[in-house]
Amino acid sequence: GEDVEQSLFLSVREGDSSVINCTYTDSSSTYLYWYKQEPGAGLQLLTYIFSNMDMKQDQRLTVLLNKKDKHLSLRIADTQTGDSAIYFCAERFTSGTYKYIFGTGTRLKVLA
Amino acid sequence: DVKVTQSSRYLVKRTGEKVFLECVQDMDHENMFWYRQDPGLGLRLIYFSYDVKMKEKGDIPEGYSVSREKKERFSLILESASTNQTSMYLCASSLFGTSTDTQYFGPGTRLTVL
């Protein structure tokens, strides 16, 4: 079935790199996304990757996609306290609907 | 910038009450969505709409209905609120036909049903 899985919690020290992982099920997804949710706020798009790409870099963010294993990761370099948030991965279905499937979210806590 | 607003940030209602959650977007987006967010479950799609007066059920439509009379406004209705509908409700919109189909989210409404 349709499922996007993430670990629930991650804790890192300020200045270290964070790696948030996600596994998905639909191999026909065209786009995969990372969203960030700060406390008390809605979701904000961080970055996305097209399914024919292996990697995308955007400043401190690096997205890696392993289509064979259906594994997506988000690396945040030089993690700051302002990066503390919940991070959601999402896949966009290509079945003709407008449907996304979101992961459970990973709560990142950055320790000073 | 796209702006998606939701009518209330916090709402407290009693069991059995009819509840309206409103969402408005100002960027002429065709697609609008209602999700609920619960700890450990992520976001689950309740309903979505791809045009005025058009709607489709998402994964958990039971106990909810929606209304889209105008393009910019998408309402979520709880006909008879129950305690298991206590949750964070998130509205989103997206523009039809873009390659990335990015969804833009409102700030959320935290609903408590007593």
Side-chain angles (χ1 to χ4, degrees):
Chain A
E2 307 160 352
D3 208 3
V4 178
E5 295 187 352
Q6 301 177 237
S7 53
L8 290 181
F9 300 101
L10 177 65
S11 179
V12 299
R13 294 212 172 273
E14 193 174 20
D16 288 350
S17 292
S18 309
V19 179
I20 302 170
N21 295 302
C22 170
T23 56
Y24 61 96
T25 55
D26 185 4
S27 58
S28 64
S29 300
T30 51
Y31 284 95
L32 296 122
Y33 307 82
W34 283 103
Y35 282 83
K36 177 184 181 183
Q37 184 182 34
E38 295 184 354
L43 277 69
Q44 177 188 8
L45 180 69
L46 273 182
T47 187
Y48 61 89
I49 188 167
F50 189 53
S51 59
N52 68 355
M53 297 168 65
D54 298 323
M55 186 182 89
K56 181 180 180 182
Q57 188 148 2
D58 184 2
Q59 300 181 341
R60 291 191 299 124
L61 305 178
T62 303
V63 179
L64 295 177
L65 176 60
N66 180 332
K67 281 198 78 173
K68 176 175 169 289
D69 295 337
K70 297 179 189 168
H71 183 265
L72 181 73
S73 67
L74 173 70
R75 180 177 179 269
I76 307 172
D78 188 25
T79 312
Q80 302 298 306
T81 54
D83 295 323
S84 292
I86 302 175
Y87 291 81
F88 291 91
C89 65
E91 59 173 338
R92 161 78 160 89
F93 271 74
T94 56
S95 59
T97 72
Y98 302 98
K99 196 171 165 185
Y100 275 49
I101 296 292
F102 283 86
T104 50
T106 298
R107 185 179 292 276
L108 174 65
K109 184 170 182 179
V110 182
L111 306 171
Chain B
D1 274 356
V2 176
K3 193 164 184 185
V4 180
T5 56
Q6 295 183 227
S7 50
S8 306
R9 293 300 300 272
Y10 300 93
L11 210 52
V12 180
K13 296 291 182 180
R14 295 205 174 274
T15 302
E17 280 192 80
K18 190 168 185 175
V19 182
F20 293 87
L21 303 182
E22 303 236 317
C23 174
V24 177
Q25 48 92 7
D26 66 358
M27 284 301 289
D28 205 34
H29 284 176
E30 290 84 3
N31 305 326
M32 296 188 76
F33 307 81
W34 274 108
Y35 295 90
R36 65 177 280 177
Q37 180 183 6
D38 300 288
L41 297 177
L43 272 69
R44 292 179 291 167
L45 182 65
I46 304 171
Y47 268 97
F48 66 97
S49 167
Y50 50 90
D51 202 351
V52 175
K53 297 193 187 296
M54 306 300 284
K55 60 186 179 186
E56 284 202 25
K57 292 180 180 178
D59 297 316
I60 51 163
E62 296 79 19
Y64 303 94
S65 61
V66 290
S67 171
R68 188 140 180 230
E69 296 296 318
K70 292 185 178 181
K71 192 175 186 180
E72 67 271 18
R73 189 179 297 268
F74 192 35
S75 301
L76 180 70
I77 303 154
L78 287 66
E79 295 289 341
S80 176
S82 62
T83 54
N84 63 12
Q85 292 178 308
T86 291
S87 187
M88 170 73 97
Y89 290 88
L90 293 167
C91 173
S93 72
S94 70
L95 183 64
F96 175 75
T98 60
S99 57
T100 58
D101 195 30
T102 301
Q103 294 200 356
Y104 296 87
F105 283 82
T109 297
R110 186 167 292 282
L111 172 67
T112 301
V113 182
L114 302 175

